[in-house]
Amino acid sequence: STLFPYTTLFRSVKFGYQTVTTSMSGISFAVPEGWQVVTGDDVQNGQSLPLPVATYGLTEDQARLLLASVDLAATSPTPNDAGLPDGVSVTPAVGVSSLPSEDEMSQRANERGAAPGEYSTAQTGLGQVAVMTATATASEIEMHSTTITAPTPSGTWVDITVMTSDASRTQEMTDTIVSTLS
């Protein structure tokens, strides 16, 4: 099923979105223009991290350790209403070898300490993906996330995680990523 009408997709990508490509899995999708992007290659090559790591109370060394398994991380340059930047990350989907079911996606959300929400699937340029919304509370801030589990061109699977403090913003970003995934 399509999450996003084509005409809206065209306008969103044209006005205010940029395409990013992961360094290891080789997938591409759109994120808002001006977002700060770090790939796995950037972390491994010791490049300075443009992400606002201090916002999370981390040193650059701590952030580099956390990003060691990340294929791509992108964050908004300014904080949202909750004081944190909106973000997207791509990591290997450990233990996934086919499209995950709703039960599998719910279990994975629970393991991350989040309350699972709605499950759906969508057809993308890479094939069918599983999509699961979730909410979690950290430091009294309710965070809304979506995990998009997608196949890669090499036959592996990745988790694309969208996280914001606003459910409608999370949905908008999820729709854009799913509709531009290639």
Side-chain angles (χ1 to χ4, degrees):
S1 69
T2 302
L3 295 174
F4 205 62
Y6 176 77
T7 55
T8 307
L9 161 68
F10 180 74
R11 274 189 239 116
S12 295
V13 173
K14 185 175 180 182
F15 300 109
Y17 282 83
Q18 63 184 341
T19 299
V20 295
T21 303
T22 62
S23 59
M24 294 178 273
S25 60
I27 64 169
S28 298
F29 54 89
V31 297
E33 250 176 38
W35 274 31
Q36 299 164 326
V37 178
V38 172
T39 66
D41 285 348
D42 296 336
V43 173
Q44 292 175 4
N45 293 334
Q47 293 183 15
S48 177
L49 300 179
L51 302 179
V53 295
T55 304
Y56 296 105
L58 301 172
T59 66
E60 187 161 322
D61 287 341
Q62 290 168 324
R64 195 172 296 286
L65 183 62
L66 284 172
L67 291 171
S69 67
V70 173
D71 196 355
L72 180 138
T75 62
S76 60
T78 56
N80 57 33
D81 292 342
L84 298 171
D86 294 338
V88 174
S89 64
V90 180
T91 56
V94 178
V96 176
S97 59
S98 62
L99 187 71
S101 68
E102 182 173 1
D103 287 344
E104 291 167 324
M105 292 291 282
S106 292
Q107 180 180 355
R108 294 170 70 215
N110 284 327
E111 289 169 358
R112 290 189 314 271
E118 294 181 26
Y119 171 85
S120 62
T121 61
Q123 192 63 37
T124 71
L126 293 173
Q128 197 168 27
V129 299
V131 181
M132 173 66 78
T133 64
T135 56
T137 303
S139 301
E140 298 184 26
I141 298 171
E142 185 174 76
M143 296 301 292
H144 300 271
S145 67
T146 300
T147 300
I148 305 160
T149 302
T152 68
S154 67
T156 62
W157 289 77
V158 293
D159 285 329
I160 304 166
T161 304
V162 178
M163 188 171 293
T164 78
S165 62
D166 179 83
S168 64
R169 178 75 173 139
T170 300
Q171 187 62 53
E172 173 190 335
M173 291 176 56
T174 299
D175 291 347
T176 300
I177 291 169
V178 167
S179 65
T180 60
L181 193 56
S182 62

